[in-house]
Amino acid sequence: MALLELNKLTIQFGGLIAVNKVDLKVEKGQISALIGPNGAGKSTAFNLATGIYSPTSGKVLYKGQDISGKPPYYINGLGIARTFQNIRLFKELTVLDNVKIGCHSRSKAGIFGAITRLSAIKNEEKQIEEKAFQALKLMGLDKKYDEFADNLSYGEQRCLEIARAMASEPELLLLDEPAAGMNLQEKIVLIEKINKIREMGLTIFLVEHDMKFVMGLSDRVAVLDYGVKIADGTPEEVQVNADVIAAYLGKEVV
Amino acid sequence: MTLLNGLLPPYIESIAITVGIYIIMALGLNLITGVTGQLSLGHAAYMSIGAYASAVVSLQLGMPFIFALLAGGIAAGFFGLIIGYPTLRLTGDYLAIATLGFGEIVKSLLFNMPIVGGAMGLAGIPFKSTLTVTLIVVIIVIWMMVRVERSRFGRALLAIREDDIAAECYGINTSLYKVKMFVLGTFIAGIGGALWAHKIMVLQPRDFGFMKSIEILNMVVLGGLGSIPGTVLGAIVLTSIPEVLRFSSDYRMLLYGALLVIMMRFRPNGLLGGVDVTKLVKKSIKSITGSNFADKEKKKVKGGN
């Protein structure tokens, strides 16, 4: 059974069908990628999988459980964490606090815990801090824990997004254009990090523009164009697919 | 326990009690507007609910003050729950208008409720909010707010202020957290109202209008949204300035307004907005004791490159 499965997933905004009957499987332990030209519906598919949008029809299955239309916080609790294409950090908070918030799903202190600060709550807080530092170390940001997120460089902010997602101890990590705006050096480091995360046993599903980045990294690639899946397979298969070439470069008119 | 009472001249003592009550009010609103970023323009309504509820408990039931105090908080918190549940789904301007509307409704209801004296007001409330009592409550509320802010719950509220979609995606049930936060904030407003009732001894609905809500909001904004020391300072400054300016008689409110404009011009983020006070204190202690403060700065610069 696939870890995440999109089943004839469709969403319609007014007259626009942004995602149209997309079938997709993300296998456990693999790195799967979703690519496609601008406006193909990749990010919308992500938003459907993480509960930001509810599908018009079709289903999102996680470990066989139907999660379509469930709220995002619930889906995060099940073990799916994501990053955002247009970085959505908590800008006026420190790097450490950003990652600590990522631990939310895996901790439980409430208002009364906050006020009474019993020893159990203190222990939990200590664990949150340890976990947060682990996630920061993984992404190479532990020395900057005290900085405001807004003061990090663009590449660092992207890494912090991944660190925050990792802090929620997910089984499935969704990365929405993780390499966007990064230079070559940063991309090479990022590929290393993503491979490391995979070795930790996580399943990764990413949306990306950069073909080279995707082809070197992914086990499976699906291609979306105008909301429709036009290809699915290994990177080698997809690269020579005539429909994919047409979607990316345009059709030859003779 | 009553050590502080009567230590100061009565006029100063009375102002000090008022300052304390406003600190409590402002801290409750700071949780809602400063920490969680939900603009509420009806905070005075919860103050009035707390004030009237506690007055009724004192007058009709003749219960000890501590019960009146809690009754005020619980009544306000209960209305916070009822109003917060539907309205906190709104954001920004819409929430502001909804809370404003609720504030006016409460005022009109109180005007027309003979049980609590209507427009005549409710008189004969015993004086219980001594300086000592007020100070104790202020300290408890500050202590609670500091603990809440530095907790998993507080971080979730900050996350909602910064980016509610991202917060939701990291496991925070934003609507539930907003309602919980609102109940706590209005509970504190109710406590403040109860203290107010037992200080001023006569309650009149018109004391709790829109202008009162704005006055409290002013304190939070002037002090620095989201900053507990800032909010306390804002409440102290804005409550005492009109008293300090009494010498200028007719021009008092004019000067008050001018001071507000000037402060916002030079400290748009509030007096202590964006200032980490604990860090500041630690830093100054370190620099006084001459430890490796300079080295740390160097490291920071290095890291920045």
Side-chain angles (χ1 to χ4, degrees):
Chain A
M1 185 177 55
L3 190 62
L4 182 77
E5 193 180 336
L6 310 185
N7 195 339
K8 292 202 170 51
L9 196 64
T10 305
I11 186 167
Q12 198 168 353
F13 297 112
L16 174 79
I17 303 173
V19 173
N20 196 351
K21 291 184 186 151
V22 170
D23 285 313
L24 195 78
K25 280 182 181 171
V26 176
E27 297 294 339
K28 198 171 164 56
Q30 288 194 337
I31 297 183
S32 308
L34 185 62
I35 64 171
N38 269 328
K42 308 180 297 284
S43 286
T44 311
F46 258 38
N47 286 341
L48 284 165
T50 52
I52 292 178
Y53 299 143
S54 304
T56 312
S57 66
K59 274 179 189 167
V60 182
L61 300 170
Y62 178 67
K63 293 180 177 172
Q65 184 193 347
D66 185 4
I67 59 166
S68 26
K70 289 271 189 326
Y73 64 86
Y74 176 80
I75 291 174
N76 181 250
L78 291 179
I80 302 180
R82 69 169 292 174
T83 65
F84 295 91
Q85 180 187 356
N86 47 341
I87 301 174
R88 278 177 171 271
L89 289 170
F90 306 120
K91 286 185 182 158
E92 286 181 32
L93 306 185
T94 62
V95 167
L96 184 63
D97 277 344
N98 266 274
V99 183
K100 276 181 172 178
I101 290 165
C103 299
H104 193 89
S105 284
R106 301 286 167 263
S107 46
K108 41 182 192 291
I111 295 187
F112 293 103
I115 295 168
T116 54
R117 263 193 217 174
L118 301 171
S119 63
I121 306 295
K122 272 190 197 157
N123 279 339
E124 187 184 89
E125 194 64 20
K126 221 181 261 170
Q127 278 170 8
I128 289 174
E129 188 148 326
E130 270 167 29
K131 264 192 232 162
F133 269 109
Q134 266 173 23
L136 284 176
K137 233 174 234 163
L138 179 73
M139 297 309 295
L141 285 168
D142 48 321
K143 292 204 175 65
K144 301 213 162 179
Y145 74 97
D146 212 10
E147 303 245 0
F148 287 113
D150 207 21
N151 295 343
L152 295 183
S153 74
Y154 193 75
E156 285 169 338
Q157 290 192 4
R158 289 227 168 264
C159 287
L160 179 55
E161 280 237 323
I162 299 177
R164 182 176 64 175
M166 287 300 291
S168 72
E169 297 176 42
E171 277 181 69
L172 173 63
L173 185 60
L174 304 184
L175 304 174
D176 198 347
E177 301 210 13
M182 280 189 172
N183 62 34
L184 191 64
Q185 186 56 41
E186 286 171 324
K187 276 181 191 170
I188 291 168
V189 174
L190 182 66
I191 289 178
E192 265 172 39
K193 299 262 159 76
I194 293 178
N195 274 318
K196 209 168 160 191
I197 291 170
R198 190 239 296 259
E199 279 160 26
M200 291 164 67
L202 270 78
T203 307
I204 295 166
F205 183 29
L206 57 92
V207 156
E208 190 48 68
H209 255 351
D210 187 335
M211 287 289 254
K212 241 191 212 163
F213 184 88
V214 171
M215 294 305 171
L217 193 63
S218 319
D219 299 308
R220 289 198 72 83
V221 177
V223 187
L224 221 54
D225 190 25
Y226 292 110
V228 181
K229 189 176 85 174
I230 56 172
D232 195 349
T234 64
E236 293 76 26
E237 288 166 4
V238 168
Q239 257 170 325
V240 295
N241 184 305
D243 289 336
V244 176
I245 295 168
Y248 263 86
L249 301 174
K251 248 179 225 158
E252 208 175 333
V253 187
V254 179
Chain B
M1 280 300 275
T2 54
L3 220 62
L4 283 170
N5 303 334
L7 211 64
L8 300 166
Y11 170 60
I12 304 282
E13 186 173 320
S14 162
I15 293 173
I17 294 169
T18 311
V19 167
I21 293 170
Y22 274 109
I23 288 175
I24 294 166
M25 297 301 307
L27 283 172
L29 186 62
N30 180 51
L31 185 70
I32 298 167
T33 303
V35 176
T36 324
Q38 309 298 311
L39 182 56
S40 166
L41 296 181
H43 207 55
Y46 300 99
M47 184 185 185
S48 69
I49 292 169
Y52 274 92
S54 70
V56 168
V57 168
S58 270
L59 289 173
Q60 309 283 334
L61 306 175
M63 299 243 264
F65 183 47
I66 179 80
F67 289 107
L69 205 59
L70 288 175
I74 290 166
F78 176 71
F79 276 91
L81 178 68
I82 295 178
I83 299 304
Y85 187 75
T87 54
L88 286 168
R89 282 150 209 276
L90 304 170
T91 52
D93 308 346
Y94 303 104
L95 177 65
I97 299 297
T99 51
L100 172 73
F102 174 70
E104 293 308 299
I105 289 172
V106 169
K107 200 176 80 176
S108 313
L109 281 178
L110 291 173
F111 256 120
N112 294 296
M113 269 166 70
I115 292 184
V116 293
M120 295 280 291
L122 190 59
I125 305 161
F127 179 80
K128 297 279 186 188
S129 306
T130 58
L131 187 56
T132 317
V133 167
T134 310
L135 199 66
I136 290 170
V137 179
V138 167
I139 289 168
I140 292 174
V141 170
I142 292 177
W143 175 79
M144 265 171 64
M145 288 293 109
V146 169
R147 287 208 152 182
V148 165
E149 195 188 34
R150 292 181 196 158
S151 69
R152 172 174 175 270
F153 181 75
R155 279 196 302 270
L157 299 182
L158 288 168
I160 292 170
R161 178 188 76 191
E162 293 290 308
D163 189 325
D164 55 346
I165 290 181
E168 184 99 12
C169 282
Y170 286 101
I172 298 163
N173 183 348
T174 52
S175 13
L176 180 70
Y177 269 73
K178 280 190 216 168
V179 172
K180 281 185 181 174
M181 164 286 292
F182 200 67
V183 170
L184 182 59
T186 50
F187 173 81
I188 291 167
I191 297 277
L195 283 171
W196 180 259
H198 292 78
K199 172 194 187 280
I200 215 94
M201 295 185 285
V202 182
L203 292 177
Q204 282 182 314
R206 66 162 166 271
D207 289 342
F208 302 101
F210 176 58
M211 283 317 293
K212 185 74 105 197
S213 296
I214 292 296
E215 208 178 313
I216 301 162
L217 184 63
N218 259 345
M219 294 169 184
V220 179
V221 174
L222 183 94
L225 282 165
S227 157
I228 293 170
T231 303
V232 172
L233 187 67
I236 294 171
V237 168
L238 284 191
T239 316
S240 41
I241 279 184
E243 303 300 331
V244 174
L245 292 177
R246 256 182 211 288
F247 69 88
S248 54
S249 59
D250 288 351
Y251 298 102
R252 190 160 74 109
M253 291 328 273
L254 189 73
L255 280 174
Y256 175 83
L259 272 176
L260 274 187
V261 173
I262 290 166
M263 281 206 249
M264 282 294 110
R265 165 66 184 79
F266 292 103
R267 295 284 309 171
N269 289 327
L271 291 172
L272 293 178
V275 179
D276 190 336
V277 174
T278 43
K279 229 187 243 172
L280 203 72
V281 171
K282 272 183 200 162
K283 260 190 192 174
S284 47
I285 290 172
K286 261 187 191 167
S287 63
I288 291 165
T289 54
S291 73
N292 55 356
F293 173 58
D295 289 357
K296 249 192 177 172
E297 276 300 283
K298 243 186 223 166
K299 264 183 207 162
K300 249 188 195 167
V301 174
K302 239 186 180 175
N305 295 335

